[in-house]
């Protein structure tokens, strides 16, 4: 089972990289993003939200344009004491400040909330190579889910549209993960430009 994390209101997934990385051995994928971590926390606090912990992530995404996988080193930031508009605004500031096409946000909500449109799936026992291989092998999942990330401790982090929950579950099972060990949380996702 996954360790319990303190209650978190929302998350921001962000990076400061502006290049398209297609080589899994690219040295940019080894950065710890320590300075970036401090800078993003300052942005969160300067907009009257509470910055919680952050985790380093290795992302693997399918590029329809390139017809291959791309890689990204990023961080997931826990954010509390923030409204939906405030979260959107902070993500917009980060997108502009770091020249990002978009920044992903996820607000945790009850499953039955009107704004719930996505799930945050976290599952143990996955590395970036296995995530890559699964994306390449499953054209439906790569086109609809786009990709996912893994923590440096080997936990999958997958944000998926609520309508694709069955597909995400099948994809996670294809990674060799027992669904009973996965944690599924509901909420609202938004890509902020």
């Amino acid at each position: 089972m996954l360790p319990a994390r303190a209650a978190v209101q929302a998350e921001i997934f962000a990076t400061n990289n502006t290049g398209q990385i297609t080589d899994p051995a690219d040295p940019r994928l080894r950065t710890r993003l320590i300075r970036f971590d401090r800078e993003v926390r300052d942005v969160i606090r300067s907009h009257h939200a509470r910055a919680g912990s952050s985790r380093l992530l290795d992302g693997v995404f399918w590029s329809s344009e390139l017809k291959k996988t791309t890689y990204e080193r990023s961080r997931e930031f826990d954010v509390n004491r923030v409204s939906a508009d405030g979260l959107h605004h902070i993500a917009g500031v980060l997108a502009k400040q770091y020249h990002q096409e978009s920044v992903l946000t996820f607000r945790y909500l009850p499953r039955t909330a009107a704004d719930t449109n996505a799930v945050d799936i976290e599952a143990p026992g996955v590395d970036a190579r296995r995530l890559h291989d699964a994306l390449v092998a499953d054209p439906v999942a790569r086109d609809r889910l786009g990709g996912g990330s893994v923590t440096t401790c080997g936990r999958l982090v997958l944000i998926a549209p609520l309508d694709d929950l069955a597909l995400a579950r099948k994809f996670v099972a294809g990674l060799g993960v027992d669904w009973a060990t996965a944690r599924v949380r509901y909420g609202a996702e938004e890509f902020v430009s």
Side-chain angles (χ1 to χ4, degrees), residues 2-3 36 38 45 58 64 79 88 93 99 111 120 126 160 167 183 190 192:
L2 297 172
F36 177 69
R38 286 191 307 268
R45 285 191 291 269
D58 291 316
S64 298
V79 184
H88 176 91
V93 168
H99 310 288
R111 183 179 190 170
D120 177 345
V126 178
L167 175 64
R183 180 181 66 201
E190 182 182 15
V192 181

Side-chain angles (χ1 to χ4, degrees), residues 138-153:
D138 190 337
V140 174
R142 72 180 183 223
D143 288 338
R144 297 215 349 229
L145 301 176
S149 298
V150 295
T151 67
T152 56
C153 299

Side-chain angles (χ1 to χ4, degrees), residues 55-112:
R55 294 191 291 180
L56 197 58
L57 299 174
D58 291 316
V60 181
F61 304 97
W62 178 255
S63 170
S64 298
E65 178 185 317
L66 298 174
K67 303 290 185 220
K68 62 169 108 176
T69 53
T70 62
Y71 302 89
E72 180 177 270
R73 180 52 76 95
S74 64
R75 279 195 171 272
E76 170 191 47
F77 296 89
D78 293 343
V79 184
N80 288 302
R81 287 191 356 211
V82 66
S83 67
D85 289 342
L87 186 66
H88 176 91
H89 179 74
I90 293 167
V93 168
L94 294 173
K96 184 176 181 181
Q97 184 171 333
Y98 294 101
H99 310 288
Q100 297 299 304
E101 188 176 314
S102 66
V103 170
L104 174 61
T105 67
F106 190 88
R107 285 184 304 122
Y108 292 101
L109 298 169
R111 183 179 190 170
T112 57

Side-chain angles (χ1 to χ4, degrees), residues 4-24:
R5 290 177 66 201
V8 174
Q9 187 179 355
E11 293 176 333
I12 293 175
F13 297 84
T15 187
N16 61 359
N17 177 57
T18 56
Q20 264 189 337
I21 301 172
T22 56
D23 178 4

